[in-house]
Amino acid sequence: MNIASGKPSRGGWNAAIFIILVEVAQQFAFYGLASNLIMYLTDVLDQPLAAAAKNVNTWLGVSSVFPVLGAFLADSYFGRFKTIVFSITIYFLGMVLLTLSVSIIPSQSGQVVFFVALYILSVAEGGQKPCVQTFAADQFDENTPEEIKVKSSFFNWWYLGMVFGATSATLGVVYLQDNIGWGLGFGILAGVLVVSLVSFLVGTKRYREQMPPGSPFTMVVQVLVAAARKWHVNKALNCECVYYGDDKALLQGQSQPLVVARTNQLRCLDKAIIIDELDASTIPRNPWRLCSLNQVEEVKLVLRLIPLCSTTIRSIGPHFQVPAASLQGLVGIAILIAVPIYDRFFVPIARKYTGHPSGITVLQRIGIGLVLSILVMVVSALVEAKRLNIAKDYNLIDKPKAIVPMRVWWLLPQYLILGLANAFATVGLQELFYDEMPEQMRSIGAATSMSVVGVGSFISNWIISVAELITSRNGDKWLGENINRAHLDYFYWVLAVLSTLNLCVYVLIANAFVYKKVGREVKVKTDLSFANNHGGEI
């Protein structure tokens, strides 16, 4: 890791705790807005439920996809520290504007300002979301066995802090918004952001910082171009014709650098590391024609994660929320209970049987989360069908605002299962994209893992539109204004089927996935010799 300061006092939990506080505050602010946004759109702005759901999904989608751009700028030019400071400042200004739009600005103009402020917050999310987590994980030295073990546990406690912030907002701020005023609720969120910025700056001298290495996408494009230019090369892959780049020069010195071990997947890219006659006569090397082995393997890491990422777009259902918003706090409570139990009890017990440092692999953890997400849809469908039957029995079909005599605890199982699903899948996905991405692209990896939620939100919009289009031709809409004549249970069953198909694809891809292996360059040469004996030419 290229650390700006080599002081041993920097990094570790002493530094990470300040960054975690930033994430807690950000989650508090985000969910203090997002969890009750649909209520504001329907009750205050008088939008239809389906239209409000689409607006919420669009905003969530933009907020989740925007981090890809923010991560690119952080990894390429500004660094994570500066990006975080800038994004918190923008976040605060956006929240202040949002507060003014619901309290002081006249209603007609206030509605325009409200939506402008919403998307200013999306821009701030773009800088903060991918960088805060990655910057916190950077505080743990990957070259120290003790800190490697701590870092695995860090992702669990990091997510616990996120959920604590989100749950506190869902249970507290939402109550203030519904019972006292939207201006007060949003004003509290702005105040929390100021506190988080101050606390983050207080810990400045404790942080390990990585200097931005330049555009990581250049490396990816160089490998693809170099491999394409040598598609006709048929040299045997051996140590004499393979380009190791700067690693080989360092190997002749006093240290042996860590490199990514060679894999046999995507072998067409290996042509980029072969030194042919033109490369041998060209000094200095042409990076668009000859790439190092480590560079090629890092590009393979990125390409291997793309299909896996596409199969974890599982959150296409939960974003269609039905009030009241505070019920979502049950999800957070489930996670607050599940994560410590997972980290302190499940992992040590599983470790004894599997021998894996984390108890189970990251892909297994994500797979369990996907199974639980299917179960969420099934339980939701059954509970909604139960609610509709009760409404019919009490002649409440045409009274959508009447209270159905059904205890709220019927909703408890689906929220608890959803919490467990997030504890497995979300944390696993974050850890996977941090560990498997090249070091200089880790912010982009974090942004990619988060963007699946955004893509899921856009897909949710599409499914809602399709459901409305088809069901409107055959009677009552599944997602109609009268929730007692609607059929949310059918909608949940559709999501359950789609999620099951998605799980099948995930299992196929996960079984073929190869984890990143890091070793000394001498070890890589041994692997090359083995590959040459078993594969010949490439």
Side-chain angles (χ1 to χ4, degrees):
M1 180 180 292
N2 183 17
I3 305 299
S5 173
K7 295 181 180 179
S9 60
R10 291 179 180 255
W13 275 112
N14 289 332
I17 191 65
F18 288 93
I19 310 171
I20 289 177
L21 291 176
V22 173
E23 183 66 13
V24 171
Q26 188 272 337
Q27 292 294 311
F28 184 86
F30 181 80
Y31 282 94
L33 169 63
S35 60
N36 211 24
L37 180 57
I38 197 168
M39 288 290 290
Y40 183 84
L41 296 178
T42 55
D43 291 358
V44 180
L45 300 185
D46 295 324
Q47 292 188 351
L49 180 60
K54 289 180 181 179
N55 281 330
V56 172
N57 283 333
T58 300
W59 177 68
L60 288 173
V62 173
S63 298
S64 298
V65 174
F66 226 101
V68 176
L69 175 60
F72 169 74
L73 295 176
D75 282 349
S76 303
Y77 305 108
F78 304 123
R80 290 160 192 160
F81 177 83
K82 291 181 180 178
T83 304
I84 292 171
V85 173
F86 176 77
S87 62
I88 297 176
T89 304
I90 297 298
Y91 214 120
F92 167 71
L93 295 176
M95 194 61 71
V96 169
L97 190 60
L98 198 72
T99 304
L100 295 176
S101 72
V102 301
S103 57
I104 297 177
I105 301 176
S107 58
Q108 195 67 26
S109 301
Q111 184 171 341
V112 176
V113 174
F114 180 84
F115 281 101
V116 170
L118 274 184
Y119 286 95
I120 288 177
L121 295 179
S122 295
V123 174
E125 285 278 310
Q128 187 163 327
K129 265 191 174 182
C131 295
V132 176
Q133 182 198 64
T134 310
F135 190 56
D138 286 344
Q139 306 309 309
F140 300 94
D141 187 359
E142 292 183 305
N143 295 316
T144 306
E146 294 78 10
E147 292 203 20
I148 291 177
K149 186 176 180 180
V150 171
K151 191 184 73 174
S152 179
S153 181
F154 155 78
F155 282 98
N156 290 322
W157 294 99
W158 168 267
Y159 191 62
L160 194 69
M162 289 175 55
V163 173
F164 175 78
T167 305
S168 300
T170 302
L171 297 178
V173 176
V174 167
Y175 176 84
L176 295 176
Q177 292 169 348
D178 289 342
N179 295 277
I180 298 180
W182 292 92
L184 175 63
F186 292 151
I188 290 175
L189 302 182
V192 169
L193 290 170
V194 171
V195 174
S196 72
L197 177 59
V198 173
S199 66
F200 181 70
L201 294 176
V202 166
T204 298
K205 294 184 178 180
R206 301 178 181 228
Y207 301 143
R208 290 171 172 159
E209 290 188 53
Q210 280 186 311
M211 301 304 293
S215 174
F217 290 122
T218 301
M219 172 192 70
V220 176
V221 176
Q222 284 177 340
V223 170
L224 298 178
V225 171
R229 295 176 71 174
K230 294 182 179 176
W231 65 271
H232 61 284
V233 174
N234 292 313
K235 278 192 174 183
L237 190 65
N238 54 51
C239 298
E240 288 71 24
C241 73
V242 169
Y243 179 66
Y244 294 96
D246 295 335
D247 296 341
K248 188 172 185 179
L250 289 172
L251 183 63
Q252 296 172 351
Q254 296 181 352
S255 62
Q256 294 183 11
L258 292 172
V259 297
V260 181
R262 181 182 177 273
T263 61
N264 283 322
Q265 291 186 324
L266 300 170
R267 295 182 65 193
C268 59
L269 298 181
D270 290 342
K271 293 182 182 293
I273 66 177
I274 297 177
I275 303 174
D276 62 8
E277 292 77 9
L278 181 57
D279 293 322
S281 61
T282 303
I283 300 176
R285 74 173 179 96
N286 180 356
W288 296 93
R289 200 176 191 282
L290 181 63
C291 303
S292 68
L293 183 146
N294 204 52
Q295 185 179 351
V296 169
E297 289 301 325
E298 287 184 337
V299 172
K300 288 183 182 181
L301 294 176
V302 176
L303 298 179
R304 286 203 300 266
L305 285 171
I306 292 175
L308 194 64
C309 177
S310 65
T311 59
T312 53
I313 302 174
R314 59 185 184 83
S315 53
I316 56 178
H319 293 304
F320 185 83
Q321 300 162 350
V322 178
S326 292
L327 289 174
Q328 299 165 50
L330 296 174
V331 178
I333 293 173
I335 295 173
L336 291 173
I337 296 172
V339 170
I341 293 175
Y342 178 89
D343 190 74
R344 295 303 181 186
F345 295 98
F346 176 80
V347 171
I349 293 173
R351 188 183 294 144
K352 292 180 181 179
Y353 292 96
T354 65
H356 194 278
S358 299
I360 57 177
T361 67
V362 179
L363 291 177
Q364 289 171 340
R365 181 172 185 170
I366 296 172
I368 293 173
L370 294 179
V371 171
L372 290 173
S373 69
I374 298 173
L375 186 58
V376 170
M377 295 296 103
V378 173
V379 173
S380 298
L382 295 174
V383 172
E384 176 61 14
K386 174 71 175 178
R387 191 194 68 80
L388 291 175
N389 287 332
I390 294 176
K392 290 178 183 178
D393 293 340
Y394 284 84
N395 296 318
L396 299 175
I397 293 298
D398 293 316
K399 300 177 181 178
K401 294 186 178 181
I403 297 177
V404 177
M406 179 180 180
R407 293 187 179 275
V408 71
W409 303 116
W410 279 91
L411 299 175
L412 183 62
Q414 66 196 65
Y415 282 103
L416 293 179
I417 297 171
L418 180 58
L420 290 174
N422 286 334
F424 277 90
T426 304
V427 180
L429 194 62
Q430 291 173 348
E431 184 175 356
L432 177 73
F433 272 80
Y434 182 88
D435 289 342
E436 296 298 316
M437 287 292 283
E439 188 172 340
Q440 67 270 29
M441 297 182 69
R442 279 176 168 166
S443 293
I444 295 175
T448 304
S449 69
M450 297 169 188
S451 68
V452 298
V453 178
V455 175
S457 296
F458 289 126
I459 293 177
S460 181
N461 271 352
W462 179 77
I463 293 178
I464 291 173
S465 298
V466 172
E468 285 187 308
L469 178 63
I470 295 176
T471 58
S472 62
R473 298 174 180 175
N474 301 312
D476 294 328
K477 294 182 180 180
W478 286 5
L479 305 174
E481 289 303 302
N482 185 344
I483 195 172
N484 293 333
R485 285 195 174 277
H487 281 287
L488 276 175
D489 53 336
Y490 295 169
F491 185 67
Y492 287 135
W493 281 118
V494 170
L495 295 179
V497 172
L498 294 176
S499 298
T500 302
L501 295 175
N502 178 74
L503 176 64
C504 294
V505 177
Y506 172 82
V507 171
L508 292 174
I509 295 175
N511 283 335
F513 187 81
V514 177
Y515 289 99
K516 177 174 69 175
K517 295 180 180 180
V518 178
R520 300 288 180 183
E521 188 163 339
V522 172
K523 172 68 166 58
V524 175
K525 288 187 175 183
T526 302
D527 292 340
L528 282 173
S529 298
F530 177 82
N532 188 43
N533 292 334
H534 290 77
E537 298 180 346
I538 62 173

